[in-house]
Amino acid sequence: MEKYEVKNIYGKKGSLSVRVPGSKSITNRALLTAALAEGESLLDGILFSDDTRYFMGCLKALGIKTEISERQCTARIFGCGGKLPVKTAEINVGSAGTAARFITALLAVCDGEFFIDSSDQMKKRPMKPLLDSLTSLGAEIEYKGAEGFFPFVIKGKNPDISSVEVDIDKSSQFLSALLIVSPLFRNGADIAVKGTHGMNYVKITADMMADFGVKTERTVDGDFKTAPNQHYIGRYYEVEADLSAACYFYAMAAVLGISVTVKNVFKNTVQGDIGFIKVLEEMGCTAEETEGGICLTGPKDGRLKGVEADLSGFSDQTLTLAAIAPYASSPVTIKGIAHIRGQECDRINAITQNLNAMGVKTEETEDGVKIYPSEPKPCEVETFNDHRVAMSFAVTGLRADGIVIKNPSCCKKTFENYFDVFNSCLNALSSTSMPNADTVEAIKELENGEGFRFEGSTEELFSSINTD
């Protein structure tokens, strides 16, 4: 599919229940901690996408035994006890930022010599702050291209140095990478941290390390200490639903004025994107935790309020907020997101370029953007091969004519059947009490697919969607 034409369904009413894949952030952290653990782990509910498949491929190339079931969304990992089975390998991290940072840190603290390559997109993304930290620990890096970027050969060394400093202004993954491999330091780890970006993701890392048996402590100065002689222990681990993915469907509720429940998303989540729910509440939505998951209801007819929001703690939702901002009653200001210029694309520029093409006025700043609401005009959305651009601006098209998403297949990076699930929602909301061709196809997807779910019979499906 080269292009996806979004269907304007504004005015349709109903309630939806949606199931999204497992969290990418949690999946990748679980894969690495389980790989380093003593014993066997069963990871349940994991995400299968381009990023996670690259991560699993890296583990396989490094000699980690795995048993994967995409159908059951499980991975059985046979841990290496902190000692890689191989001392040389060639691996490719693709465009997976988490794999790029985590696997690089792992190889830097293990004896051996490894060649690491990536996609062209990943070769443009920042790595130098992490690589500087790793070389200070004794790793040697031989660049095969531009200094500070992929590809390179890394000669690892089990560090006897315990102190290391890392700058996380460009990515908190640099710190998470060091933390996850810190039990491999001979004398424990003292990690001095420069910057505060993305600490919600760092908390996920620390919590999951504890789940697998390793405790790291944050000092009053904001640094981290991991005591020596700790080991990850294999276990059963269930991965939460991906809140980043869930937020696109909550945004759908916001702009259409309907109710959407995302299965297995709860307020006690460890994922920082829960902060986006609070932003939507400030804009006039209501959120209720049900037995199945959080149900978010948009204001009547999608009449959203303007808001000023610091998204530094959940920056993946910057594009989502920008995509619904044209429908607010006053300007929407997003700040604290300078680092997203160095992600899959310059995401701030992607926002301004696409909204301006829709006739929506924006003001771009170094660390954010201000959006002046107005009715979006027909536009082909340039996705820059960035999954979040594609998924976010699809929501804009739900109440505007002529919004077309170019290269929608880029979503396979994290949510490969996103537009299948998206279409199921539209078909359900567009259907009447009598099945039509679109509705029959939607029901087939409900029965056979893995994304969208209604609980109950077909008759209950129709009665639960109050269409106008």
Side-chain angles (χ1 to χ4, degrees), residues 4 6 248 319 323 345 347 350 354 381-397 403-412 415 418-419 422:
Y4 176 85
V6 188
Y248 302 115
L319 280 152
C345 70
R347 286 179 170 169
N354 282 306
V381 173
E382 180 58 61
T383 58
F384 305 98
N385 202 34
D386 188 329
H387 56 132
R388 301 215 181 276
V389 178
M391 292 188 283
S392 296
F393 282 114
V395 179
T396 310
I403 301 300
V404 177
I405 309 299
K406 296 168 67 175
N407 187 27
S409 61
C410 65
C411 293
K412 65 183 181 179
F415 193 166
Y418 172 78
F419 282 104
F422 195 83

Side-chain angles (χ1 to χ4, degrees), residues 106-142:
L106 169 63
L107 299 182
V109 299
C110 292
D111 293 330
E113 183 172 325
F114 308 91
F115 174 76
I116 315 179
D117 205 352
S118 74
S119 69
D120 289 341
Q121 185 187 63
M122 190 64 221
K123 287 172 183 172
K124 300 174 183 177
R125 296 180 64 182
M127 285 289 296
K128 192 172 187 301
L130 175 62
L131 296 172
D132 287 345
S133 298
L134 297 175
T135 54
S136 75
L137 290 170
E140 298 178 20
I141 299 172
E142 179 185 346

Side-chain angles (χ1 to χ4, degrees), residues 214-242:
V214 172
K215 185 176 181 180
T216 187
E217 297 181 348
R218 193 175 187 187
T219 70
V220 293
D221 297 326
D223 299 333
F224 285 83
K225 291 181 178 293
T226 303
N229 301 318
Q230 297 189 78
H231 308 280
Y232 294 122
I233 305 298
R235 54 163 293 178
Y236 170 82
Y237 191 86
E238 186 172 7
V239 174
E240 291 183 1
D242 190 282

Side-chain angles (χ1 to χ4, degrees), residues 358-376:
M358 296 179 197
V360 178
K361 179 184 175 183
T362 62
E363 292 178 358
E364 185 175 331
T365 65
E366 182 58 32
D367 81 330
V369 62
K370 187 172 185 177
I371 301 164
Y372 294 85
S374 64
E375 187 66 25

Side-chain angles (χ1 to χ4, degrees), residues 8-16 252-260 297-303 398-399 425-433 454 461-468:
N8 181 350
I9 61 167
Y10 184 55
K12 298 294 184 182
K13 299 300 178 185
S15 58
L16 300 173
M252 178 187 289
V255 299
L256 296 178
I258 64 172
S259 295
V260 173
T297 302
K300 186 176 181 181
D301 298 326
R303 295 192 184 103
L398 292 175
R399 60 184 280 186
C425 293
L426 304 197
N427 290 337
L429 289 170
S430 298
S431 66
T432 63
S433 59
F454 265 93
L461 166 64
F462 287 114
S463 65
S464 70
I465 303 174
N466 303 313
T467 55
D468 292 337

Side-chain angles (χ1 to χ4, degrees), residues 13-286:
K13 299 300 178 185
S15 58
L16 300 173
S17 179
V18 184
R19 190 182 302 277
V20 298
S23 163
K24 182 187 77 168
S25 297
I26 295 176
T27 294
N28 283 336
R29 284 162 173 78
L31 286 170
L32 185 53
T33 49
L36 295 177
E38 296 178 347
E40 177 183 328
S41 295
L42 178 61
L43 310 181
D44 194 359
I46 65 175
L47 168 69
F48 284 94
S49 67
D50 274 4
D51 277 13
T52 57
R53 290 189 185 99
Y54 269 108
F55 206 121
M56 294 175 201
C58 291
L59 295 180
K60 183 178 179 181
L62 295 174
I64 304 297
K65 183 182 176 183
T66 62
E67 294 178 357
I68 306 297
S69 173
E70 293 203 16
R71 182 178 180 82
Q72 296 180 353
C73 296
T74 61
R76 191 176 299 276
I77 311 292
F78 298 86
C80 68
K83 294 182 179 180
L84 288 179
V86 302
K87 290 187 178 296
T88 181
E90 294 186 4
I91 63 173
N92 192 311
V93 297
S95 295
T98 317
R101 281 68 183 259
F102 289 10
I103 297 295
T104 297
L106 169 63
L107 299 182
V109 299
C110 292
D111 293 330
E113 183 172 325
F114 308 91
F115 174 76
I116 315 179
D117 205 352
S118 74
S119 69
D120 289 341
Q121 185 187 63
M122 190 64 221
K123 287 172 183 172
K124 300 174 183 177
R125 296 180 64 182
M127 285 289 296
K128 192 172 187 301
L130 175 62
L131 296 172
D132 287 345
S133 298
L134 297 175
T135 54
S136 75
L137 290 170
E140 298 178 20
I141 299 172
E142 179 185 346
Y143 294 104
K144 299 300 183 180
E147 183 176 345
F149 298 92
F150 290 108
F152 49 76
V153 172
I154 188 164
K155 296 179 181 178
K157 176 184 177 182
N158 184 226
D160 51 19
I161 302 170
S162 60
S163 297
V164 61
E165 182 178 77
V166 63
D167 185 339
I168 64 171
D169 277 340
K170 294 186 182 296
S171 176
S172 65
Q173 290 177 357
F174 303 152
L175 174 55
S176 286
L178 288 171
L179 285 172
I180 293 176
V181 303
S182 63
L184 277 61
F185 289 32
R186 294 178 189 172
N187 301 311
D190 295 318
I191 305 174
V193 183
K194 180 181 178 183
T196 58
H197 159 66
M199 294 308 294
N200 286 331
Y201 290 100
V202 176
K203 185 178 186 304
I204 293 175
T205 302
D207 288 347
M208 290 185 65
M209 289 172 64
D211 289 339
F212 281 83
V214 172
K215 185 176 181 180
T216 187
E217 297 181 348
R218 193 175 187 187
T219 70
V220 293
D221 297 326
D223 299 333
F224 285 83
K225 291 181 178 293
T226 303
N229 301 318
Q230 297 189 78
H231 308 280
Y232 294 122
I233 305 298
R235 54 163 293 178
Y236 170 82
Y237 191 86
E238 186 172 7
V239 174
E240 291 183 1
D242 190 282
L243 193 45
S244 295
C247 286
Y248 302 115
F249 299 97
Y250 288 137
M252 178 187 289
V255 299
L256 296 178
I258 64 172
S259 295
V260 173
T261 301
V262 182
K263 293 290 186 179
N264 299 321
V265 171
F266 299 102
K267 292 182 180 179
N268 64 351
T269 176
V270 298
Q271 299 172 71
D273 280 14
I274 192 68
F276 185 64
I277 304 295
K278 297 179 181 178
V279 173
L280 291 178
E281 288 179 310
E282 290 179 32
M283 299 180 79
C285 300
T286 58

